[in-house]
Amino acid sequence: MPPGSMGFLQELAVQLAGIGGSCAYPDGKKRVIVLCADNGVVAEGVASTPQSVTLKQAENMIRRVTGMSCLAERFGDEVQVVDVGINGESSVAGILRRKIRAHGTADIALGPAMTRAEAVRAVLTGMQLAEQAAGEHVRFLGVGEMGIGNTTTSAAVLSALEGLEPEAVTGRGSGLTDAAFAHKKEIVAQALRRNAACPDDVLDVLSKLGGLDIAAMCGVFLGAALCRIPAVIDGYISAVAALCAFRLAPLSRDFCIPSHRSEEPGYAYAMRALRMQPPLMLRMRLGEGSGCPLMFRIVEASCALMTGMASFSQADIDDAYLDALRDTGRRR
């Protein structure tokens, strides 16, 4: 093909070749890991959705009737729903119980979300889930979440890590009135003042301002890199978790694949910090990992090019006409 003619698909092929150590990365089993947890900050009125929806949606993912899970069902992708801190217990079989705190995190507007030890445990839990996936021959991971109030904790984490004003990174989440939206930004600012997290210490930021879902998602990204599995970033919360992983281990970024551009304003700042551009512009803001099944299809297309497309010589085409273009590219 002419150099660069397949755009992002070519760039992705190069990335996958680097991850797999071969010019033909094998396609295979795909899994969306959804980290579910509740956030104490919902007591401050920062979400229009009741906290009970976290548990209900975790159960609905098992039934494959949420936005993400019905897409995964359609395409044959696996979904692993993990309780790392839901405020409640489910009788639905299939939710993996890895609970760090029985009722979710504490209210970040009043103090730390969790202890440092709990944040470490959540990160390690995510790493173990990635290791489990590798042992079960999963070739691609998607990293999603379910936790009412987690756009607030994500905004606080991103603001602390990047030194950004709360107003810049705080969005309306699942929908707020103007008054509630202004209050949400005030709560993020209050949490930042109250906790004074060290921006150079990711675990300090996660323990004081984050959620168990974000910390565990960070661990999945780290574990995926350790196991050399490509991991797809979903939306805002997933991007903030990937940024946390990047700040802990910069090489983990090379194993991450962005999917869609979230409508949350903080997402653009997280992508800028990760030096990434998402290829899908679908005006989505659901979360759950809903961008992952869609991005898996783009991944499949890239793998198809790597394994099925002929070279110029194999196609019996003299490509000497491209030499000048190649020389220009090398000089650049």
Side-chain angles (χ1 to χ4, degrees), residues 113-128:
M114 65 190 99
T115 67
R116 187 182 182 94
E118 288 167 339
V120 169
R121 186 178 161 200
V123 171
L124 291 175
T125 296
M127 294 182 71
Q128 290 163 0

Side-chain angles (χ1 to χ4, degrees), residues 63-151:
R63 299 185 179 106
R64 297 297 184 101
V65 294
T66 71
M68 175 279 299
S69 60
C70 75
L71 288 172
E73 179 75 8
R74 171 64 178 80
F75 295 118
D77 301 326
E78 295 182 358
V79 175
Q80 184 180 57
V81 182
V82 188
D83 173 6
V84 290
I86 297 175
N87 184 14
E89 299 293 340
S90 175
S91 59
V92 174
I95 297 177
L96 189 62
R97 197 175 190 277
R98 295 289 185 271
K99 203 181 286 284
I100 311 295
R101 288 172 61 104
H103 304 292
T105 55
D107 184 351
I108 61 172
L110 304 178
M114 65 190 99
T115 67
R116 187 182 182 94
E118 288 167 339
V120 169
R121 186 178 161 200
V123 171
L124 291 175
T125 296
M127 294 182 71
Q128 290 163 0
L129 292 168
E131 184 179 19
Q132 175 190 344
E136 294 171 354
H137 308 292
V138 173
R139 302 299 306 182
F140 297 93
L141 285 175
V143 186
E145 42 64 40
M146 185 62 233
I148 302 304
N150 60 13
T151 58

Side-chain angles (χ1 to χ4, degrees), residues 263-325:
E263 290 290 282
E264 282 290 298
Y267 176 83
Y269 290 97
M271 282 288 108
R272 188 178 305 165
L274 285 164
R275 302 192 300 276
M276 290 181 173
Q277 290 186 349
L280 303 177
M281 311 298 175
L282 302 171
R283 301 192 302 278
M284 291 167 57
R285 54 185 180 87
L286 176 66
E288 299 181 5
S290 53
C292 300
L294 299 173
M295 193 62 207
F296 286 158
R297 312 294 68 90
I298 305 299
V299 164
E300 289 174 353
S302 183
C303 288
L305 289 179
M306 297 169 76
T307 57
M309 192 173 188
S311 66
F312 279 107
S313 60
Q314 291 168 333
D316 196 26
I317 296 173
D318 182 357
D319 63 343
Y321 73 95
L322 291 171
D323 287 347
L325 183 59

Side-chain angles (χ1 to χ4, degrees), residues 154-175:
S154 294
V157 168
L158 180 59
S159 181
L161 288 177
E162 294 297 310
L164 298 165
E165 292 297 324
E167 291 80 3
V169 297
T170 306
R172 292 180 183 266
S174 59

